[in-house]
């Protein structure tokens, strides 16, 4: 390899490592929390559940670029979470709730993404869903049929989970093909370095090591509890 070729290779690797992801634009809808249902409701009448059953009292809905910009590292944090699933094209961001790590978006598929779990109102692969994190360590297989999943069910939520060990970032993706709305559940281990209390809203970062197998049951329990979120949103998405 010539010195010039080596320089080009080194430069390209440097650029690749420095690549930053940009958070997609927010939608023009405005959201508020309904005092009766506890759900997020938009000015267009769209209603979404965002985990009130988790007994978290902070119902902050961040829904503008200015709100995100108030925390220097939040935009890249969310954009990097979305980037874990390049198969998904986010058309617009609806809102973000930091205390649950929930980012709601409008989306379409850039290319097919086979789910690792399918969640229905009455019959779902709940056992597999609760152990998806274990599957990352090679302990689980999926049980989704090879045929038919590309069409997208009208009465199910498709779920995938990916873990980036270098950044200790776990991202759970729930898709509602019926309404083209997706939820990114973005979990990131707090490194305790820098002014993290100024760079992220309270509750954004996890105080447990996502890469430590001793925390496997706790994380699996969290993933399983997220099934409730999927079912609630499925109920809201389906016609009466």
């Amino acid at each position: 390899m010539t010195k010039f070729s080596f320089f080009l290779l080194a430069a390209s690797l440097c650029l690749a490592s420095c690549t930053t992801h940009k958070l997609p634009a927010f939608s023009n809808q405005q959201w508020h929390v309904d005092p009766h249902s506890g759900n997020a409701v938009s000015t267009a009448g769209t209603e979404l559940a965002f985990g009130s059953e988790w007994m978290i009292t902070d119902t902050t809905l961040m829904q503008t670029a200015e709100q995100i910009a108030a925390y220097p590292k939040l935009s890249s944090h969310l954009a990097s979470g979305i980037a874990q699933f390049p198969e998904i094209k986010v058309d617009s961001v609806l809102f973000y709730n930091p205390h649950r790590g929930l980012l709601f978006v409008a989306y379409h598929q850039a290319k097919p993404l086979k789910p690792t779990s399918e969640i229905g109102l009455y019959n779902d692969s709940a056992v597999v869903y609760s152990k998806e994190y274990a599957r990352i360590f090679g302990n689980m297989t999926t049980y989704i049929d090879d045929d038919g999943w590309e069409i997208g069910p009208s009465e199910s939520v498709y779920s995938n989970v990916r873990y980036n060990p270098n950044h200790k970032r776990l991202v759970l993706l729930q898709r509602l093909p019926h309404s083209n709305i997706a939820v990114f559940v973005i979990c990131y281990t707090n490194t305790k370095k820098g002014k993290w209390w100024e760079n992220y809203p309270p509750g954004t970062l996890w105080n447990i090591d996502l890469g430590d197998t001793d925390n496997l049951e706790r994380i699996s329990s969290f993933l399983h509890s997220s099934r409730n979120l999927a079912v609630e949103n499925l109920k809201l998405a389906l016609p009466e």
Side-chain angles (χ1 to χ4, degrees):
M1 178 183 292
T2 65
K3 289 184 177 180
F4 181 70
S5 298
F6 178 80
F7 173 79
L8 288 178
L9 177 61
S12 63
L13 290 174
C14 180
L15 287 173
S17 64
C18 297
T19 298
T20 57
H21 303 285
K22 185 178 179 181
L23 186 66
F26 281 82
S27 72
N28 56 9
Q29 298 185 58
Q30 296 297 312
W31 298 82
H32 70 276
V33 178
D34 183 89
H36 302 291
S37 67
N39 295 332
V41 182
S42 77
T43 49
T46 303
E47 185 173 359
L48 294 169
F50 68 109
S52 58
E53 74 280 358
W54 293 353
M55 303 301 291
I56 298 176
T57 57
D58 193 307
T59 55
T60 300
L61 303 182
M62 304 181 76
Q63 50 190 304
T64 67
E66 290 74 21
Q67 289 175 308
I68 298 295
Y71 298 93
K73 293 188 177 181
L74 182 57
S75 179
S76 61
H77 167 75
L78 299 178
S80 296
I82 293 174
Q84 299 301 301
F85 291 94
E87 301 91 342
I88 300 301
K89 174 64 176 177
V90 173
D91 300 312
S92 64
V93 176
L94 304 180
F95 63 84
Y96 173 62
N97 174 249
H99 274 251
R100 298 166 180 80
L102 302 178
L103 183 69
F104 284 76
V105 305
Y107 83 99
H108 68 272
Q109 283 196 149
K111 60 180 180 179
L113 173 61
K114 184 176 182 179
T116 49
S117 292
E118 181 178 343
I119 305 168
L121 292 179
Y122 309 107
N123 184 21
D124 66 83
S125 50
V127 175
V128 178
Y129 189 65
S130 66
K131 297 296 183 181
E132 279 185 316
Y133 192 75
R135 183 185 59 79
I136 295 172
F137 293 96
N139 299 324
M140 291 294 294
T141 57
T142 59
Y143 298 95
I144 303 298
D145 292 336
D146 288 334
D147 299 324
W149 63 267
E150 301 96 329
I151 300 173
S154 60
E155 298 184 356
S156 296
V157 175
Y158 275 171
S159 176
N160 296 82
V161 63
R162 286 177 182 168
Y163 176 66
N164 185 319
N166 294 327
H167 297 93
K168 294 187 177 179
R169 180 188 296 112
L170 175 70
V171 182
L172 169 66
L173 171 66
Q174 294 181 344
R175 288 172 286 159
L176 289 85
H178 179 76
S179 57
N180 288 333
I181 289 178
V183 188
F184 289 87
V185 187
I186 303 173
C187 312
Y188 184 87
T189 297
N190 191 346
T191 62
K192 302 294 186 180
K193 295 180 180 179
K195 296 183 178 181
W196 51 269
W197 57 91
E198 295 180 0
N199 291 326
Y200 304 94
T204 303
L205 305 179
W206 281 42
N207 289 321
I208 65 172
D209 188 345
L210 290 167
D212 189 343
T213 54
D214 288 341
N215 295 320
L216 183 60
E217 287 303 318
R218 184 175 176 182
I219 298 165
S220 293
S221 176
F222 166 76
L223 290 175
H224 180 64
S225 71
S226 296
R227 174 188 177 276
N228 297 330
L229 178 71
V231 170
E232 287 303 311
N233 278 305
L234 185 57
K235 289 178 180 178
L236 292 170
L238 294 177
E240 295 291 338

